[in-house]
Amino acid sequence: MSFYLPHGTTRHRHGLIALSLIAALSACTAGQDKGPPAKPTRQANSAANDQKATVAKGETVTELDKAIFYILQAKDNTYWFGSDGRGVYHYNGKTITRFTTKDGLVSNRIRGVQEDKAGNIYFTTYEGISKFDRQSYTTLSVSTNSVATEWKKLPDDLWFVAAQDAGAVYRYDGKLLHRLELPKTKIGDEQIARFPRSKYPNAIYSPYDVYTIVKDSKGNLWFGTAAAGVCRFDGHSLSWMYEKHLTEIEGGGSFGIRSILEDKEGAFWICNTRYRYRIDPKDTPDPGAGFIKYKREKGIDHLKAPDGADHVYFMSIIEDGKGVLWMATYGSGVWRYDGDKVTRYPVKDGAKEITLFSIYKDNHGDLWLGTHEAGAYKFNGKTFEKFRP
């Protein structure tokens, strides 16, 4: 029997997972935010109702939190670090400033960081979306009139994951957030039927919860879900892709779709190294069927995890300027694949290998890691070393 783990909480051994239903339910309870609403509690019809905070001064600190999940280098080349419980950190090359709910941030548990064309920074949380205009924080308002017809794709829109148990995403048009639920599937509904809330009250999640949002080279949006597979929005229709091995790990347990990447050849890597996927050139929107047409290609068949497994589940993946893939696993370090050879980079805090959450490529092409327990790491050309400002 398999189960998913909440966003930002996993159990892992050498890149694989095996746990019982009871243990998974415990993980769900321990890992979820304290009472995350399925929908933000404050809604408005106009962005004018956004609550504007006073100028945020933050607090000068000397180091980052241990649980750093997200990293962003802004257009001004300063860095933002999103933590799992202690707010956000801004590094200008000299000073680290920490911002929390005391400064107007809607929540201290960050689930995404992005920047718009004007240089505003947005922080995703399960309690709402915070916008920082370089002076103060605003909690974005949610349209009370969001309907299915709001599924549209405009060049300057921003997209955010919604709260745990929402099964939805947000589209931001520059004024309001539009809450959009993903279409239901047989697979997702079967998952709900297997774990009814009446029998498993601690399993507070939806198989349609979104973990990651990626835009491909054609502008299509890809949503990685907890247990329903991958959903793609091309601006006209929503289509699904599901393969059991993408989310369910042999021996039990599930990570869901936490990482999606389109490589330089236009093929997609999704969560594990066993296969890559090429979209059929004849694939066209088909609202009736609602399935993506694709073919499965061999991935990295010679990659071995430390325990001898024939593939590795990765939490996060990037492609560098030379087309080399870098994959951050949970507990097996970083794996580099240049199309021919695989190189494993252990990531340690002292003598102890640590657990990873994300990998990020900055404006200069430098590689960073977000970790569960050891702060941020940066690649020095030979190894990943702890970031010490």
Side-chain angles (χ1 to χ4, degrees):
M1 182 175 291
S2 65
F3 210 77
Y4 108 111
L5 294 174
H7 187 63
T9 303
T10 47
R11 298 285 189 269
H12 201 279
R13 182 177 62 84
H14 301 310
L16 300 178
I17 183 167
L19 63 143
S20 65
L21 175 60
I22 294 176
L25 290 174
S26 298
C28 284
T29 305
Q32 67 192 34
D33 287 342
K34 299 295 184 180
K39 300 179 182 179
T41 55
R42 186 180 62 82
Q43 296 185 342
N45 287 314
S46 170
N49 292 324
D50 288 337
Q51 296 177 352
K52 192 78 170 182
T54 56
V55 174
K57 296 182 180 179
E59 172 193 9
T60 300
V61 296
T62 58
E63 61 183 7
L64 304 176
D65 184 49
K66 293 182 178 180
I68 296 295
F69 281 4
Y70 300 94
I71 301 167
L72 172 77
Q73 186 180 23
K75 293 181 178 67
D76 64 2
N77 287 325
T78 64
Y79 290 89
W80 292 90
F81 302 88
S83 78
D84 183 35
R86 294 182 58 81
V88 298
Y89 296 77
H90 179 245
Y91 178 60
N92 63 8
K94 296 181 179 179
T95 304
I96 301 177
T97 304
R98 182 167 77 101
F99 298 98
T100 67
T101 52
K102 294 179 181 180
D103 303 291
L105 196 65
V106 68
S107 171
N108 289 329
R109 300 191 72 178
I110 307 303
R111 293 296 178 261
V113 184
Q114 59 182 301
E115 182 180 22
D116 67 15
K117 290 184 176 180
N120 300 305
I121 310 296
Y122 298 81
F123 302 98
T124 303
T125 81
Y126 284 161
E127 295 180 6
I129 311 298
S130 288
K131 174 183 176 180
F132 184 61
D133 64 3
R134 302 302 177 134
Q135 289 190 323
S136 57
Y137 288 89
T138 301
T139 301
L140 300 184
S141 293
V142 182
S143 171
T144 57
N145 299 317
S146 293
V147 293
T149 54
E150 293 295 335
W151 274 104
K152 58 180 67 175
K153 185 166 63 67
L154 301 175
D156 294 333
D157 283 348
L158 299 178
W159 293 78
F160 306 92
V161 302
Q164 187 175 319
D165 202 29
V169 295
Y170 289 110
R171 180 179 67 85
Y172 181 56
D173 61 9
K175 296 180 179 180
L176 291 170
L177 290 168
H178 300 274
R179 184 180 183 276
L180 305 171
E181 293 188 6
L182 271 64
K184 301 300 184 286
T185 66
K186 179 181 177 181
I187 292 167
D189 288 347
E190 286 176 348
Q191 180 81 356
I192 293 173
R194 286 204 305 272
F195 302 104
R197 202 61 60 82
S198 59
K199 188 175 181 180
Y200 302 100
N202 291 330
I204 304 175
Y205 83 103
S206 164
Y208 304 103
D209 284 348
V210 174
Y211 286 162
T212 186
I213 303 175
V214 173
K215 182 178 287 188
D216 68 19
S217 60
K218 296 181 180 178
N220 300 316
L221 291 161
W222 295 71
F223 307 106
T225 72
V230 180
C231 185
R232 184 192 64 188
F233 179 53
D234 61 11
H236 303 284
S237 63
L238 292 140
S239 303
W240 285 93
M241 171 183 174
Y242 180 86
E243 290 200 8
K244 187 174 181 179
H245 71 269
L246 288 177
T247 58
E248 298 187 8
I249 307 303
E250 185 178 352
S254 175
F255 280 140
I257 305 295
R258 295 178 181 272
S259 51
I260 303 171
L261 177 120
E262 180 187 16
D263 64 24
K264 63 179 181 180
E265 296 180 1
F268 288 84
W269 296 82
I270 303 173
C271 289
N272 72 80
T273 57
R274 183 178 295 173
Y275 306 107
R276 72 173 185 168
Y277 302 87
R278 195 174 294 275
I279 306 304
D280 189 330
K282 297 181 181 179
D283 182 48
T284 56
D286 186 357
F291 294 105
I292 298 171
K293 299 180 180 66
Y294 66 93
K295 67 177 181 178
R296 191 170 64 187
E297 300 179 343
K298 182 180 292 188
I300 310 173
D301 60 345
H302 54 285
L303 178 57
K304 298 289 184 181
D307 61 358
D310 65 353
H311 71 287
V312 171
Y313 181 101
F314 47 83
M315 294 281 292
S316 180
I317 180 173
I318 62 99
E319 185 176 45
D320 68 20
K322 298 180 180 179
V324 175
L325 300 182
W326 296 78
M327 296 159 278
T329 70
Y330 180 82
S332 298
V334 176
W335 300 76
R336 178 185 184 274
Y337 177 56
D338 62 7
D340 178 45
K341 183 176 66 174
V342 175
T343 306
R344 176 179 179 266
Y345 294 88
V347 183
K348 297 183 178 182
D349 186 8
K352 177 187 175 183
E353 279 206 52
I354 61 173
T355 53
L356 309 180
F357 186 84
S358 63
I359 186 165
Y360 172 74
K361 180 178 67 174
D362 69 16
N363 301 341
H364 310 299
D366 294 328
L367 303 182
W368 294 77
L369 296 175
T371 80
H372 283 82
E373 56 190 350
Y377 277 64
K378 187 177 181 181
F379 190 59
N380 62 15
K382 294 182 179 180
T383 186
F384 286 90
E385 60 182 4
K386 193 178 183 73
F387 173 61
R388 303 183 188 278

